[in-house]
Amino acid sequence: MTGLPPSAFTVLGATGYIGSRLVAHLQAQGHTVWAPARGDAEVFTRPLGHVIYCVGLTADFRTRPFDTVDAHVGLLAEVLRRAQFDSLLYLSSTRVYMGAADTHEDAPLAVLPGDPSYLYNLTKLTGESLCHASGRAEVRVARLSNVVGPDMDAASGNLVADLLHQARQGHMVLRSDPQSAKDYVHVADVLDWLPRIALRGRSTVYNVASGVQTPHAQWLEWLGTRYASTYEVQGGAPLQRLAPINASRLHAEWGVVARSVWGDGTAL
């Protein structure tokens, strides 16, 4: 975050994996950070500075559809309508590209409202659309890829977090085809890039991704070696592939290069 002046930030959703680490990172960089508790009415009565909206559901969105709408859209609507802020960065997801042929930020997207698995995408896209339609200045969207890093929650729905938990117990079961692949971005890059987007982003939407597809088979091999773990693939496991995420906007604007998710061997 070199070159960013000290600023006042408010992190909404500061108890989650991204939010909690973002609070600590911003404070370490000399910024003033407020992390209000859920339901704190002071969000609507005091200046918030630069808001990073990390509120959201992950693995349990299918069983908590109404909470998903509240988190991704309801609270956001109130913040955009009533809060005092200098900028707002809404954290969305590259999952919205599911079924899309083009993953550039301005590409048209496909949705299937009758499929319950699309509820996550639809609520994130509604939140994005609300940001654009709000009429508020300095409102941006960051579509996060699959974030990996230390201390991931195995119950988060993150494939790598689940496999890591299993590997530490000595045996992994993969429920998708090993040639399935996803884009992964290291949490350290996310913590570096989000404040840049919030304070200086020239565009309204950014893919926060590495731009690299990593097959599930590669995770099985790496985790198996690191933790001396065996593995098996569930019979009939489906092949899951998204189009590679286009990360050119982010990388061109700041010249950043995504670090390896493998790190130095201690990344996970």
Side-chain angles (χ1 to χ4, degrees), residues 17 146-150 183-193 208-210 258-264 266-268:
Y17 183 73
N146 300 279
V147 180
V148 296
D183 182 294
Y184 296 92
V185 61
H186 198 279
V187 66
D189 282 338
V190 172
L191 299 180
D192 180 29
W193 298 344
V208 178
S210 67
R259 72 189 66 199
S260 169
V261 292
W262 315 109
D264 58 2
T266 61
L268 301 179

Side-chain angles (χ1 to χ4, degrees), residues 9-16 19 23 33-46 48 51-55 75 79:
F9 282 88
T10 296
V11 177
L12 300 178
T15 60
V23 169
V33 185
W34 183 44
R38 179 180 179 180
D40 191 334
E42 199 173 357
V43 167
F44 304 109
T45 60
R46 63 179 277 182
L48 303 181
V51 177
I52 301 185
Y53 190 98
C54 304
V55 183
L75 176 59
V79 171

Side-chain angles (χ1 to χ4, degrees), residues 163-199:
L163 289 178
L164 174 61
H165 175 71
Q166 294 185 59
R168 286 172 171 162
Q169 295 179 326
H171 184 69
M172 295 176 283
V173 179
L174 181 67
R175 296 173 177 82
S176 53
D177 190 293
Q179 294 311 307
S180 301
K182 294 182 179 181
D183 182 294
Y184 296 92
V185 61
H186 198 279
V187 66
D189 282 338
V190 172
L191 299 180
D192 180 29
W193 298 344
L194 290 181
R196 300 190 195 205
I197 295 171
L199 296 178

